[in-house]
Amino acid sequence: MITLKTFNRKELEDFIYSGTFQQYDFLPITKHRALSHLKNPKAADGDTLLILAFYEEKLIGYVGCFPDRFVVAGKEIRYAWLSTLYVNPEYRKKRPAKALLKKAFEEYEGRIAITEFTKEAEALYNIMGVFEYVFPKEGKRYYFKTDAAKIIPEKKPGVKPLKPLFKTLDAAANLFISIKNLPVRKPDFKYEIIDRIDKESADFINAFPGVRNADEINTFIDHSWVLEGKKDERYLFSSFADTFTYFWIKIFDHNNKLKACLLLQLRDGYLKVPYLFSTADLNEAVQFLNYFIVSNKIKAFTSYQTKLNEVIQQSKAFSPVYKRDFHREYLFHKNLLELLPKNFNPNYQDGDGDCMMT
């Protein structure tokens, strides 16, 4: 028989600091991800943050819950993102995934949202029959270097012996690309690059509607789910990377007045823009991004910022070697949708939900 154990903020803290989470065949959470959950400003003390599934006292699965909230017409609507879901393949016939999901639904009265899910997980969510697809986002990925040595063996494991050849081809192609990018110069307008949101930026972004404020974004910059270092193979989700850094970018007009702010996330050569706030056109933001990408030898840049992508499409300065469309779906439990007004739009930025942390 499957038994379930839930952890609220205090219980999760005790679980982590006692070291108990390390005793299993696989890790249900990492210490730094748990600390991020504990610091989440939108998590109440009684909220369930982690649920473990056991069979005959053996850990066979877990689901992570990441509390969030909407404020609609002055009313707070609390909900949670499913941030992880894993079950030991040997016990799938026992249906621990369904048991874990049903427990999460129970803990949050069905107020559950999900995004960035795998095809396998998506099939399970659809089988549950309680989710609807909402608020789809269209994005672009722009490639600036070739990375055949990494991408091709991942998609076709049978060609791994050819990895040295792919590395040689990558080196030759990227040398040519580097020469082509030599004319790219530092922007001639004022900008600043800092490691977190300062007061000037916080005052600026307060004028924009959004799900997260400056303090909350800073909390997750300071308590990331991914650290630089070697991955523990016992944890199946994002936990470590060779490089993982946030950059807060401030762009000023000719009167030294702040006109745009961007949060950039760089992970192992891949760049994202979780947050973008601007009172002007985005031409200078695109110019800065092009310079940043060349200077930091970025392999690829992914953006779900619609207006930014429109300006990039028209820019002659922004010159990727290849680009492709990306699509992101959000799944909302029907119980959560019933609490939201008709035609409600959360206006999610790319970093909202749990996307910013990985």
Side-chain angles (χ1 to χ4, degrees), residues 209-339:
V211 177
R212 286 190 174 133
N213 60 27
D215 287 341
E216 190 173 0
I217 295 172
N218 276 339
T219 295
F220 296 120
I221 290 175
D222 295 339
H223 300 281
S224 172
W225 290 7
V226 179
L227 300 180
E228 293 185 351
K230 187 177 180 181
K231 178 179 174 63
D232 188 328
E233 297 301 328
R234 292 183 300 156
Y235 189 66
L236 281 300
F237 293 88
S238 296
S239 55
F240 287 91
D242 291 335
T243 58
F244 189 87
T245 311
Y246 290 106
F247 304 87
W248 183 255
I249 313 302
K250 302 166 66 177
I251 297 176
F252 299 85
D253 64 18
H254 62 279
N255 292 319
N256 205 33
K257 183 178 179 181
L258 194 57
K259 62 186 290 187
C261 291
L262 306 83
L263 180 67
L264 301 182
Q265 182 207 86
L266 177 58
R267 177 176 176 173
D268 290 344
Y270 288 78
L271 189 69
K272 296 197 299 186
V273 53
Y275 289 98
L276 169 61
F277 307 91
S278 178
T279 57
D281 66 65
L282 295 172
N283 289 307
E284 290 180 341
V286 171
Q287 186 180 342
F288 171 83
L289 279 168
N290 192 54
Y291 170 73
F292 185 93
I293 285 166
V294 171
S295 300
N296 290 275
K297 300 179 180 179
I298 302 301
K299 296 176 182 177
F301 167 60
T302 305
S303 168
Y304 284 95
Q305 304 285 352
T306 304
K307 291 183 179 179
L308 179 67
N309 288 339
E310 289 173 356
V311 177
I312 288 174
Q313 291 292 102
Q314 300 169 3
S315 173
K316 294 180 179 178
F318 208 81
S319 55
V321 296
Y322 176 69
K323 60 185 176 183
R324 58 179 289 207
D325 295 332
F326 268 59
H327 183 78
R328 176 183 290 163
E329 294 279 9
Y330 295 84
L331 287 173
F332 270 39
H333 194 289
K334 293 176 182 178
N335 288 13
L336 175 56
L337 288 173
E338 288 176 358
L339 299 174

Side-chain angles (χ1 to χ4, degrees), residues 9-10 15 20 39 83 131 174 190 226 235 245 279 340:
R9 178 178 266 158
K10 179 64 169 62
F15 184 55
T20 307
K39 295 290 184 179
S83 62
F131 289 103
N174 290 328
K190 181 182 176 182
V226 179
Y235 189 66
T245 311
T279 57
L340 300 173

Side-chain angles (χ1 to χ4, degrees), residues 1 68 70 146-147 154 165 178 183 199 235 300:
M1 179 179 176
D68 205 340
F70 295 122
T146 67
D147 198 12
E154 285 181 354
L165 173 61
S178 297
K199 185 180 185 308
Y235 189 66

Side-chain angles (χ1 to χ4, degrees), residues 6-234:
T6 62
F7 295 82
N8 61 25
R9 178 178 266 158
K10 179 64 169 62
E11 292 163 342
L12 181 60
E13 183 176 22
D14 292 343
F15 184 55
I16 291 300
Y17 282 106
S18 69
T20 307
F21 76 104
Q22 293 273 7
Q23 68 178 312
Y24 306 110
D25 295 336
F26 55 88
L27 298 181
I29 197 167
T30 61
K31 184 175 181 179
H32 54 277
R33 184 179 284 224
L35 291 175
S36 185
H37 277 283
L38 298 177
K39 295 290 184 179
N40 180 4
K42 290 177 180 171
D45 288 343
D47 285 343
T48 293
L49 305 179
L50 181 67
I51 306 171
L52 305 186
F54 296 89
Y55 183 77
E56 296 179 349
E57 299 185 356
K58 180 181 178 66
L59 179 66
I60 62 170
Y62 58 85
V63 64
C65 302
F66 183 64
D68 205 340
R69 65 172 177 256
F70 295 122
V71 177
V72 181
K75 180 182 178 182
E76 183 179 84
I77 300 173
R78 299 181 59 77
Y79 67 106
W81 297 90
L82 290 189
S83 62
T84 54
L85 174 62
Y86 172 77
V87 297
N88 185 332
E90 296 178 11
Y91 291 86
R92 283 181 181 168
K93 290 184 179 179
K94 304 292 182 183
R95 298 185 176 180
K98 283 190 175 181
L100 286 163
L101 287 174
K102 287 181 178 180
K103 185 61 176 176
F105 300 162
E106 177 187 323
E107 293 295 306
Y108 285 92
E109 299 177 340
R111 292 172 282 115
I112 295 293
I114 319 171
T115 193
E116 294 289 283
F117 37 78
T118 65
K119 289 294 183 183
E120 183 181 26
E122 183 179 13
L124 173 62
Y125 300 145
N126 285 328
I127 288 172
M128 299 297 289
V130 297
F131 289 103
E132 291 187 13
Y133 292 91
V134 291
F135 322 125
K137 294 180 76 68
E138 303 299 327
K140 297 281 187 183
R141 175 168 289 178
Y142 307 91
Y143 294 87
F144 293 87
K145 289 184 176 294
T146 67
D147 198 12
K150 177 179 184 295
I151 296 172
I152 295 178
E154 285 181 354
K155 292 187 176 182
K156 297 182 178 181
V159 302
K160 281 186 178 179
L162 297 177
K163 196 169 182 177
L165 173 61
F166 295 140
K167 283 185 176 181
T168 301
L169 295 173
D170 282 337
N174 290 328
L175 176 60
F176 174 78
I177 293 169
S178 297
I179 294 171
K180 180 179 73 70
N181 287 331
L182 285 175
V184 175
R185 294 287 180 261
K186 183 177 180 180
D188 58 2
F189 51 83
K190 181 182 176 182
Y191 65 87
E192 293 179 11
I193 304 176
I194 53 181
D195 58 7
R196 65 201 309 276
I197 303 175
D198 60 2
K199 185 180 185 308
E200 181 181 31
S201 301
D203 292 341
F204 177 77
I205 70 176
N206 279 342
F208 297 83
V211 177
R212 286 190 174 133
N213 60 27
D215 287 341
E216 190 173 0
I217 295 172
N218 276 339
T219 295
F220 296 120
I221 290 175
D222 295 339
H223 300 281
S224 172
W225 290 7
V226 179
L227 300 180
E228 293 185 351
K230 187 177 180 181
K231 178 179 174 63
D232 188 328
E233 297 301 328
R234 292 183 300 156

